Amino acid sequence: MRPTSVEVLRGLQGVLASDIGREVQSLFGQDALQTGQMLLEMLANELDGAADSLFRDNEALVELLGRGAAAVRPLDAALAEETQAALAEETDTSLTLSALSARNSRLRGLLERLLVVCEDAAAGGKHAALMAVRADAYRHLRDVATRGWSFWDMLSFRERMAQLRAGGP
Amino acid sequence: MVQAERIEEYLRSRLPQATEIAVQNVQRLPGGASRETWSFDARWREGGADVSRPFVLRRDPDASLLETDRDMEFRVMEAVWSQGVPVPRMYWLEPDTAWLERPFFVMERVDGCEVSAQKLLYEPRFTAVHDRIARSFVDVLARIHALDWRSLGLECLTPPADSAACGTTEIERWEAVVDRDALEPQPVLRAAFRWLRRNLPPPAQKIVLVHADYRTGNFLFDESGEIKAFLDWEMAHLGDPLEDIAWACIRPWRWAGDERIGGLMSREEFYRMYAEGSGLAVHPEGVRFWEVLGNVKLAAIFLTGARSFCDGRTRSIMMALVGRNINRLELEVMELMGV
């Protein structure tokens, strides 16, 4: 369907930056407008790949937690059992963002507990299998954390806003 | 909304000798995420003379990034102002909600200044004074850390049990915030708390007044390169001076997109100038601990904002924005942890 969701968000950014932006005089209003622009920038960058990203994350987490459950068993048998039970659960195959997010949250909750055990074990320099999972877990978390647009990417945002004010796409 | 008439009534109660009180130009200012910030001008007659004064009023928010003690912030700013630290002069602290619906305090407005880090770093009119501002930034910090907080009556900030406890005290403070406000699992933050407990810093060289939000973007400056006032004291507490050093160093406050601290100076320059000005050593390993904690703390603050947005306690879209910006802090935490 055209305009696509991303095209609509970009259009909204354009009108906020030009027509509406010119009408807003107060410093507070301008600041709120800029914050809104940043949120739209973030959503526009996320939207198209959001479901795909969550789906792949969930697959990666299932693989990671599968290995993690085995590696953590000597240190925390209860967590190992719980993780294996969670991985064996029948999952919703829906690709809606809400279903994918719910699954993601469940898996990240298990990863959170696994990482805490890893960190407590890290000082001893033992448990090689668990340390390998720890390294892979951080690799995964780094990968997730680098995605998307963040308001720390101020330079790219400034360029886009200048473009929009000049009437660009 | 804060109305001029209500402020006039309030000023009448606070300035019994004044007559013909008039308040104008009431406007909300951006920034100051823990409290609403309002600016206004007041005129009155007193002792046969016309008096005109610019004010800032900071009112408790409906919800905020931080839940902080307004009375403490007022007392700290009052105390450091009395010692010549550049902060706005504090006038009145008002807990009564009858005036403006929520408690507030009133302080001096310092005119003719900028606060924006972007303006400081990107507008050519300030380029020539970057070095001067950097020097001033370090000097003011050394002065704050040199203050005798006991003689200023700031024991009420509750010092850590001893100089070795500063790190643990702050870990517990921010872990409690994550416990309270996280809406979803936070593997990186939880792992970081464990890492922090395993990598505690050396005992603080001395327990000082820590500003706790000392960074580019939190001070008023002008084209002369002078820092006119340091703002946002709501997180001030007693602790390790390296906590302020590290907070100023964390990546989100570098602004310029490179490694310069606060966008203004190299890390080596910062450490050297601070050591010269304060007489305290800057231990890189200690700073590393506090930098990990600083990023975790900022993430925890963002979680508080996200929760207040999702719970419907605020309409501020800033809270939504910060809540969705924790990922880059996680990246920085992992980088600093070396994992």
Side-chain angles (χ1 to χ4, degrees):
Chain A
M1 187 191 300
R2 302 292 296 273
T4 64
S5 307
V6 173
E7 284 170 331
V8 169
L9 290 175
R10 293 297 187 202
L12 190 53
Q13 275 191 306
V15 77
L16 287 174
S18 52
D19 301 352
I20 294 174
R22 276 192 286 274
E23 300 294 322
V24 177
Q25 302 300 322
S26 76
L27 286 174
F28 180 76
Q30 287 171 11
D31 188 68
L33 206 57
Q34 169 152 319
T35 303
Q37 288 281 21
M38 289 187 190
L39 271 169
L40 291 172
E41 182 74 18
M42 181 175 290
L43 296 177
N45 276 285
E46 278 179 21
L47 196 59
D48 193 40
D52 181 63
S53 178
L54 277 168
F55 180 80
R56 288 173 195 278
D57 280 356
N58 290 348
E59 284 195 324
L61 283 169
V62 165
E63 190 278 324
L64 192 59
L65 288 167
R67 284 191 289 126
V72 82
R73 187 170 295 279
L75 291 173
D76 190 335
L79 176 59
E81 290 298 326
E82 198 178 325
T83 302
Q84 283 186 326
L87 297 179
E89 281 169 11
E90 201 166 311
T91 54
D92 188 344
T93 55
S94 163
L95 292 179
T96 61
L97 287 175
S98 56
L100 290 166
S101 293
R103 175 77 172 147
N104 190 256
S105 189
R106 172 103 166 97
L107 296 171
R108 278 174 70 93
L110 291 164
L111 181 67
E112 177 184 281
R113 292 170 59 195
L114 177 65
L115 261 189
V116 165
V117 178
C118 287
E119 282 310 312
D120 289 347
K126 296 176 187 166
H127 311 290
L130 190 61
M131 290 305 105
V133 171
R134 174 178 179 256
D136 288 345
Y138 281 121
R139 200 168 297 122
H140 170 76
L141 289 164
R142 276 171 172 271
D143 174 47
V144 172
T146 47
R147 289 183 207 148
W149 183 88
S150 156
F151 65 27
W152 312 122
D153 304 329
M154 192 48 84
L155 291 176
S156 64
F157 179 70
R158 282 164 170 270
E159 281 166 20
R160 168 162 286 284
M161 289 301 104
Q163 221 175 14
L164 288 171
R165 277 190 291 271
Chain B
M1 191 67 193
V2 169
Q3 291 171 323
E5 296 75 22
R6 296 297 294 151
I7 301 175
E8 285 172 3
E9 285 173 35
Y10 180 69
L11 292 182
R12 273 184 214 108
S13 77
R14 285 296 193 168
L15 299 166
Q17 310 300 320
T19 59
E20 300 173 42
I21 293 174
V23 167
Q24 291 178 311
N25 305 325
V26 179
Q27 60 168 324
R28 188 163 175 190
L29 301 178
S34 64
R35 293 183 220 296
E36 292 177 4
T37 306
W38 296 80
S39 165
F40 66 93
D41 298 310
R43 283 184 291 106
W44 64 86
R45 282 191 64 77
E46 189 171 356
D50 287 325
V51 181
S52 175
R53 213 168 276 172
F55 291 100
V56 161
L57 183 152
R58 299 203 72 200
R59 182 169 74 155
D60 281 15
D62 44 5
S64 91
L65 281 175
L66 280 166
E67 290 180 9
T68 58
D69 187 329
R70 136 193 24 89
D71 300 20
M72 211 58 87
E73 181 181 1
F74 188 91
R75 280 170 81 166
V76 170
M77 289 180 77
E78 206 171 34
V80 299
W81 179 84
S82 75
Q83 299 302 298
V85 174
V87 290
R89 183 174 184 180
M90 306 305 282
Y91 289 111
W92 307 290
L93 173 66
E94 187 50 66
D96 189 344
T97 57
W99 297 103
L100 297 173
E101 297 171 353
R102 285 175 239 143
F104 60 91
F105 58 75
V106 180
M107 62 188 191
E108 170 193 18
R109 189 179 76 226
V110 182
D111 282 337
C113 294
E114 296 286 355
V115 69
S116 156
Q118 279 83 14
K119 284 191 177 173
L120 172 61
L121 299 177
Y122 295 111
E123 290 193 1
R125 64 190 168 122
F126 296 118
T127 307
V129 295
H130 281 182
D131 288 348
R132 183 145 188 242
I133 287 180
R135 174 93 246 174
S136 182
F137 180 86
V138 181
D139 287 347
V140 172
L141 184 58
R143 281 167 65 191
I144 294 168
H145 290 172
L147 293 172
D148 179 357
W149 46 267
R150 288 183 187 85
S151 72
L152 291 171
L154 294 177
E155 278 135 323
C156 53
L157 291 171
T158 318
D162 57 59
S163 58
C166 296
T168 315
T169 304
E170 290 306 301
I171 291 171
E172 286 169 0
R173 186 195 306 272
W174 294 105
E175 196 165 24
V177 173
V178 174
D179 288 345
R180 186 191 65 205
D181 288 338
L183 290 162
E184 52 197 350
Q186 298 294 336
V188 176
L189 301 186
R190 295 294 180 190
F193 283 123
R194 299 305 249 244
W195 184 94
L196 286 163
R197 287 181 195 283
R198 276 198 289 119
N199 292 277
L200 289 170
Q205 295 159 80
K206 64 188 253 200
I207 292 178
V208 302
L209 176 65
V210 176
H211 178 284
D213 198 7
Y214 199 89
R215 61 177 173 85
T216 301
N218 249 352
F219 56 79
L220 297 171
F221 58 94
D222 63 14
E223 288 179 43
S224 74
E226 196 177 335
I227 290 183
K228 299 287 189 184
F230 238 96
L231 308 174
D232 288 352
W233 290 74
E234 56 263 48
M235 291 192 286
H237 59 267
L238 301 173
D240 189 332
L242 293 187
E243 185 184 344
D244 271 336
I245 295 284
W247 181 256
C249 288
I250 65 172
R251 190 168 297 281
W253 312 138
R254 291 183 203 160
W255 301 108
D258 57 27
E259 296 302 309
R260 280 175 296 166
I261 302 306
L264 292 168
M265 63 195 128
S266 72
R267 187 178 284 263
E268 293 71 26
E269 281 176 296
F270 181 33
Y271 288 5
R272 180 183 52 75
M273 286 196 288
Y274 176 78
E276 284 170 6
S278 68
L280 300 171
V282 180
H283 302 296
E285 270 309 294
V287 175
R288 182 181 174 215
F289 166 89
W290 287 109
E291 258 188 274
V292 173
L293 186 73
N295 282 283
V296 169
K297 164 180 156 179
L298 190 55
I301 291 169
F302 286 3
L303 289 176
T304 300
R307 176 171 277 279
S308 59
F309 185 84
C310 293
D311 286 355
R313 284 182 289 123
T314 179
R315 290 191 307 257
S316 167
I317 51 172
M318 175 55 81
M319 305 300 163
L321 183 67
V322 297
R324 294 180 71 88
N325 269 278
I326 291 168
N327 53 355
R328 298 298 164 87
L329 297 174
E330 291 177 340
L331 204 58
E332 190 67 6
V333 165
M334 289 187 276
E335 188 69 35
L336 286 162
M337 285 165 58
V339 294

